[in-house]
Amino acid sequence: METIVSATNPQANIAEIPRSARGWQFVRRFAHHPGALVGVFVLLVLIVAAILAPYIAPFDPTETDVGARLSAPDAMHWLGADLHGRDIYSRIVWGGRYSLAVGIATVLLALVIGSSIGIFLGYVGGRVDAIGSRLIDVLLGFPSVVMAILVVVVLGVGLVNVVIAVAIAQVPRFARVVRSAVLVTKEQLYVDAARAIGASGWRIMARHLLPNVVPTLIVLGTLNLGEAILSTATLSFLGLGAQPPTPEWGAMLNDGRDYMRYAPWMMFFPGLALFLAVMSVNLIGDRLSQLLDPRARQR
Amino acid sequence: MPHWRVTSKYRSLIVAFAASTALSGAALAQSGGNLRIAMPANQEPASMDGQIDPYQSTWLFNSFVTDPLVVLDPTGKYVPALATSWEASPDGKVWTFTLRDGVTFQDGTKFDAEAVKFNLERIADPKTASAQLKNDIGPFTKVEVLDPLTVRITYDTPWVTLLDAMRRAPLWSPTAAKKYSVAEFQRNLVGTGPFRLTEWKQNDRLVFTKWDGYGGWNPVQTKKGPVDLDTLTIRFIGEASVLGNIVKTGDADIAFALPPSVIDDYKDDKAYTFTSKDQSGTGLQMVMNVRKPPLSDLRVRQAILYSADQNAVNDVLFDGYYAKSQGPLNNNHPCYWDGSSTMYKTDAKKAAELLDAAGWKLPAGKPIREASGVAGVTDGTPLKIRYNVLHHKEIGEVLQQQLRKSGIDLAVEVIPGPVQIERIRNRDFELMYERQRSPDPAILDQVWNSKWDQPGGWAWTGFKDAKLDETVGKLRSVPDVAARCEAAKEAQKIIMDNALMLPTLSDPVFVAFPTAKVKGFQIGSEGNWFFVNNTTVQK
């Protein structure tokens, strides 16, 4: 049975339920959605495979084998081999470490910087907020991948720089959404109360505003994770991210480009891994959005 | 069985049909149609004015719009085009060209010695900002018009490579060039050639339209007067796989510079003419920065050469279709020194000995060597060498595996052109891709003479040796072809003795077109050049 939360004051009803029960209730509500379950399952498979890569990958992902060059999938190379005879299955499993880790690192970096800026602007308000918000608007005007490419051109190629580049491209989004959330939250009575007992601005931001925008951040972070994974792969596909012989999925797609007609598995399987990762993250993000976003929850 | 009698009525019908067929056939043969050539997108020029732009493709496209003074014909000989003859003084300092009479530019301006003088001075003018031709034509002191059809170019020092420059140098109408600014002129080219540039849609195509006033002055053209083709379209294709299939899909008539991955699709297909042509030059060489460790040590540089196996790279990646390049000039260059091919045969044991002696030791249980007592390097620093390329990263990946066996970590990094320029400017590289294409050995002077180790120069390695400078300097001053080749060979030996570059391979140009549809297409003696003066395409 599903607990019905008051549409007019959801916080009031939730507060009456013990914390542990609330957690289970949340999990049950999350699991109620089959798409989200599929997303969790696929993402878990990819993460576990990446963690266990040294044990489940039959070959070294960088080991070349001239004899196996462009081999079609068979009993030895389950997903075929690339131009250098490297095992594609092993490269995909190892590549998950790069693609997923870089995506997560990117979102975390963007989340920390973006939410800090958003909370600061939203709380301080006035002219600082006006100028900061206009700057964010300007940055949002740039397509994020173009912005990331510009940053990589300045910083140089490589996965670390890709993390920084994609994070910088995502910061304005986090800042804008968090600022909006803070504008609502800072008008709450408990914030006035904290101010009245002499709490400093930094304390109010850290202890009272931040916890209240966490649900928003979780939703936004999850929804942006898929895009971060794709942006990272895009930059690697363009030759700006992972460098040879790193088995990153975007770089693998690029490796297979010229051989699409003769060895389609070189592009198909890394593309499939990328698709599954982004799809699973988006499915999870959508469900979290339904459960945690107050507006969505009220619908 | 019915017996058919050909009555006079039928006979006249048959005659009429035969006549019309013959007439249409004749019309087909006379009218050249619209030829579409697909090329890789990276061959699209930044500027269409070859007096400014430094790339072969620009000079090639210019050759459709204007004829040069001399042409390097498909057999590799310099033959007269707008110059009917030429003469160099014995010391190589004075060149005199006699010009063809009766030639006009597409705007009606007369082609004469004044026009040649105008063009040479335009190229030399700093305002033109010529990126290559100015250097190739050299520092002439004066250009004199002896009479309307004779022009004399004088140098202070011998300049024996002028013909190679003049075969590429586009000659524009002075009237048109004066009418437009340097920036505007590249879209309004006016020359003496068989086509006018009628459209340039960037990142997509160039369209050239037949000029009816053309006199057939290019010696490669077999008939006088205008060419047969009505239009010539160059399509720039970004995706190698698309380029590889474009002739088969009918979206182009000729695919030029095909990727090696599709060779087997065309090679054995009788419906297509497949051809390849080598490009003389440096090959896809990687020059070494000797200014700082680890490459400041000759033993490390030699170890890299001993670790690499070019034949394996060719077999693994290109089924052996690429050409060998085992020294500073590739193996098909007329002045190639064959000692390069035996100097550094793959020898992992020797590479290991050299690295050990240089202080790069292999720690137990580790795949990459580390510094141990190397001057200027902290002990324990891994032997990592950056390998920067603009393309062909797959070659780097195979070399990466080969060098790893010697304990060298080759970090392959694909960088865009502007990043390459910046790294070269800062001399911030270890192995850097540097390629020059020319059958003339003077490219060795360009790359290896330390006097060109300056901003904008092509000598990047930081290696300075009086003997090498003197030897490559001769390539600009010695008129005798055989003597120049000897000097080039001596220079190659010095370069290889000092292991200043890692030769990789040389990529031929692969071309395919439907045999029945395209006739008379001629590839130049250098793979990156072609002639369409005699080409027709079936409508």
Side-chain angles (χ1 to χ4, degrees):
Chain A
M1 196 178 79
E2 193 169 338
T3 304
I4 297 168
V5 177
S6 162
T8 50
N9 189 0
Q11 296 295 330
N13 284 352
I14 289 170
E16 290 161 13
I17 305 168
R19 185 179 286 265
S20 58
R22 261 190 285 159
W24 275 113
Q25 192 182 55
F26 180 83
V27 171
R28 281 213 317 275
R29 281 162 54 81
F30 183 90
H32 194 69
H33 191 274
L37 276 184
V38 170
V40 169
F41 175 74
V42 172
L43 190 61
L44 275 178
V45 168
L46 291 173
I47 290 173
V48 170
I51 292 169
L52 298 179
Y55 307 102
I56 62 172
F59 295 93
D60 178 334
T62 61
E63 185 186 315
T64 58
D65 175 5
V66 179
R69 180 176 174 252
L70 298 176
S71 294
D74 58 18
M76 180 175 274
H77 298 286
W78 302 338
L79 304 183
D82 70 5
L83 180 65
H84 302 274
R86 296 176 297 208
D87 182 58
I88 289 176
Y89 168 67
S90 302
R91 286 178 70 75
I92 286 176
V93 169
W94 278 94
R97 289 187 164 201
Y98 297 98
S99 297
L100 297 175
V102 167
I104 291 167
T106 300
V107 168
L108 284 177
L109 187 62
L111 186 146
V112 169
I113 298 172
S115 58
S116 302
I117 293 171
I119 290 171
F120 178 77
L121 292 179
Y123 180 72
V124 172
R127 193 173 290 174
V128 174
D129 178 37
I131 295 170
S133 297
R134 293 299 80 74
L135 277 175
I136 288 170
D137 288 343
V138 170
L139 291 173
L140 281 170
F142 283 103
S144 57
V145 171
V146 175
M147 178 96 160
I149 290 171
L150 283 175
V151 175
V152 169
V153 166
V154 173
L155 297 179
V157 297
L159 276 177
V160 174
N161 290 340
V162 162
V163 170
I164 296 169
V166 178
I168 288 175
Q170 290 201 342
V171 159
R173 265 182 254 170
F174 282 94
R176 186 185 221 183
V177 174
V178 170
R179 173 188 164 274
S180 304
V182 167
L183 285 180
V184 176
T185 312
K186 78 172 183 179
E187 301 302 329
Q188 299 293 320
L189 279 177
Y190 58 83
V191 176
D192 286 340
R195 207 177 284 126
I197 61 170
S200 67
W202 295 112
R203 185 176 173 82
I204 292 170
M205 283 189 268
R207 297 294 299 273
H208 300 288
L209 297 181
L210 179 61
N212 280 289
V213 297
V214 164
T216 308
L217 285 176
I218 291 172
V219 172
L220 197 60
T222 318
L223 288 174
N224 273 275
L225 179 57
E227 196 189 317
I229 292 171
L230 266 186
S231 298
T232 306
T234 303
L235 292 177
S236 292
F237 180 81
L238 294 173
L240 301 171
Q243 295 298 313
T246 310
E248 199 270 344
W249 294 341
M252 290 174 71
L253 279 173
N254 186 25
D255 287 344
R257 214 162 41 126
D258 289 354
Y259 298 87
M260 213 178 335
R261 289 177 59 215
Y262 312 96
W265 48 90
M266 278 181 70
M267 286 195 90
F268 178 77
F269 292 113
L272 182 65
L274 204 51
F275 162 73
L276 290 174
V278 175
M279 183 200 70
S280 61
V281 165
N282 284 345
L283 285 172
I284 295 168
D286 280 348
R287 185 58 181 156
L288 285 176
S289 171
Q290 287 171 357
L291 295 177
L292 294 175
D293 182 352
R295 284 165 302 179
R297 212 160 45 198
Q298 285 169 25
R299 280 198 288 270
Chain B
M1 193 173 168
H3 179 74
W4 292 93
R5 282 186 62 194
V6 181
T7 62
S8 61
K9 185 177 150 193
Y10 282 120
R11 199 178 294 130
S12 58
L13 270 175
I14 290 168
V15 168
F17 175 75
S20 67
T21 308
L23 280 173
S24 63
L28 191 69
Q30 280 168 9
S31 178
N34 303 308
L35 182 68
R36 300 160 303 162
I37 301 178
M39 298 177 88
N42 62 14
Q43 300 211 15
E44 182 174 12
S47 164
M48 271 296 286
D49 185 351
Q51 294 189 359
I52 301 169
D53 214 51
Y55 298 110
Q56 291 282 342
S57 56
T58 314
W59 297 319
L60 170 68
F61 302 145
N62 285 174
S63 77
F64 306 141
V65 182
T66 196
D67 282 334
L69 286 186
V70 294
V71 161
L72 187 66
D73 76 2
T75 65
K77 284 189 193 139
Y78 291 112
V79 290
L82 294 189
T84 53
S85 64
W86 56 85
E87 188 186 352
S89 62
D91 63 1
K93 290 183 182 174
V94 181
W95 286 81
T96 309
F97 290 88
T98 304
L99 307 180
R100 188 177 295 276
D101 195 12
V103 178
T104 56
F105 289 100
Q106 291 156 351
D107 62 355
T109 305
K110 193 169 166 47
F111 169 79
D112 56 14
E114 286 291 351
V116 175
K117 182 175 191 283
F118 169 83
N119 275 279
L120 291 173
E121 288 173 348
R122 182 176 185 263
I123 292 167
D125 188 343
K127 279 188 234 153
T128 308
S130 172
Q132 181 77 49
L133 267 186
K134 183 183 175 182
N135 291 336
D136 294 347
I137 288 173
F140 57 82
T141 50
K142 59 183 173 183
V143 182
E144 295 167 278
V145 175
L146 302 184
D147 64 54
L149 293 178
T150 312
V151 64
R152 188 159 72 192
I153 307 165
T154 307
Y155 295 85
D156 275 344
T157 53
W159 201 260
V160 298
T161 55
L162 186 60
L163 286 186
D164 187 55
M166 294 313 292
R167 63 131 175 151
R168 288 174 279 131
L171 300 172
W172 304 125
S173 158
T175 311
K178 284 175 193 162
K179 185 176 162 189
Y180 298 100
S181 68
V182 170
E184 289 167 343
F185 183 67
Q186 57 149 334
R187 285 184 176 272
N188 297 279
L189 304 176
V190 178
T192 57
F195 296 95
R196 292 171 187 270
L197 174 64
T198 46
E199 186 185 358
W200 180 14
K201 191 173 178 190
Q202 277 176 309
N203 301 315
D204 186 20
R205 63 178 179 264
L206 289 165
V207 180
F208 301 90
T209 307
K210 175 163 79 171
W211 176 43
D212 289 327
Y214 185 58
W217 300 301
N218 191 314
V220 170
Q221 189 166 319
T222 50
K223 68 162 199 172
K224 292 295 156 203
V227 291
D228 287 330
L229 290 175
D230 298 319
T231 62
L232 167 64
T233 301
I234 305 290
R235 290 192 60 193
F236 298 108
I237 308 296
E239 277 296 317
S241 52
V242 176
L243 179 65
N245 209 31
I246 199 162
V247 170
K248 295 209 166 186
T249 59
D251 293 318
D253 306 307
I254 298 174
F256 190 81
L258 281 166
S261 56
V262 303
I263 290 173
D264 290 340
D265 281 2
Y266 291 99
K267 201 163 58 76
D268 301 321
D269 191 336
K270 288 194 168 51
Y272 294 93
T273 298
F274 173 79
T275 180
S276 70
K277 195 82 179 177
D278 292 326
Q279 307 181 75
S280 299
T282 60
L284 304 165
Q285 71 170 345
M286 303 297 296
V287 296
M288 301 194 192
N289 185 354
V290 303
R291 293 176 182 83
K292 55 187 179 183
L295 297 182
S296 52
D297 191 324
L298 171 63
R299 293 167 294 189
V300 176
R301 302 199 298 268
Q302 288 177 326
I304 291 173
L305 292 173
Y306 278 121
S307 303
D309 182 354
Q310 192 180 122
N311 291 332
V313 177
N314 202 2
D315 290 341
V316 168
L317 298 176
F318 309 115
D319 289 329
Y321 286 128
Y322 269 29
K324 283 184 180 178
S325 179
Q326 292 168 305
L329 292 179
N330 56 6
N331 296 32
N332 54 55
H333 196 284
C335 296
Y336 168 67
W337 175 60
D338 58 8
S340 299
S341 62
T342 51
M343 193 176 259
Y344 296 101
K345 282 195 175 294
T346 310
D347 188 339
K349 191 165 166 266
K350 209 161 192 172
E353 286 168 5
L354 284 163
L355 290 170
D356 282 338
W360 294 96
K361 312 280 187 191
L362 197 58
K366 287 190 179 177
I368 300 300
R369 290 172 180 270
E370 292 177 358
S372 172
V374 178
V377 181
T378 311
D379 279 358
T381 304
L383 181 51
K384 181 175 178 177
I385 293 170
R386 286 177 297 159
Y387 178 101
N388 291 146
V389 282
L390 303 179
H391 45 72
H392 281 95
K393 79 171 163 96
E394 67 280 7
I395 295 178
E397 285 186 81
V398 180
L399 289 169
Q400 192 173 50
Q401 293 295 321
Q402 293 176 351
L403 268 63
R404 198 171 178 83
K405 289 176 186 161
S406 297
I408 301 169
D409 180 12
L410 193 70
V412 177
E413 202 182 4
V414 183
I415 51 173
V419 175
Q420 185 198 32
I421 290 168
E422 189 175 339
R423 293 206 181 162
I424 288 161
R425 193 188 301 128
N426 300 328
R427 301 297 190 244
D428 174 27
F429 68 91
E430 276 136 19
L431 283 173
M432 179 63 80
Y433 169 75
E434 182 176 16
R435 189 229 197 118
Q436 299 288 338
R437 297 178 176 99
S438 176
D440 195 294
I443 48 176
L444 287 176
D445 178 60
Q446 205 169 0
V447 178
W448 298 106
N449 194 329
S450 65
K451 78 174 175 183
W452 306 122
D453 184 1
Q454 56 180 335
W458 296 88
W460 302 338
T461 64
F463 183 77
K464 193 172 169 63
D465 179 82
K467 177 72 177 160
L468 179 59
D469 288 349
E470 185 198 334
T471 309
V472 292
K474 287 180 193 167
L475 302 174
R476 298 275 188 205
S477 59
V478 176
D480 180 61
V481 175
R484 296 177 70 229
C485 259
E486 280 311 306
K489 287 175 183 176
E490 193 181 343
Q492 289 170 78
K493 184 174 184 315
I494 297 171
I495 295 162
M496 293 307 285
D497 279 341
N498 289 282
L500 298 173
M501 49 81 69
L502 171 66
T504 62
L505 286 165
S506 195
D507 52 340
V509 172
F510 302 110
V511 183
F513 54 85
T515 309
K517 192 176 184 188
V518 178
K519 305 285 182 193
F521 180 77
Q522 291 168 283
I523 296 199
S525 63
E526 291 299 297
N528 49 41
W529 203 270
F530 59 81
F531 300 92
V532 293
N533 295 67
N534 304 312
T535 307
T536 58
V537 60
Q538 195 181 55
K539 284 185 177 174

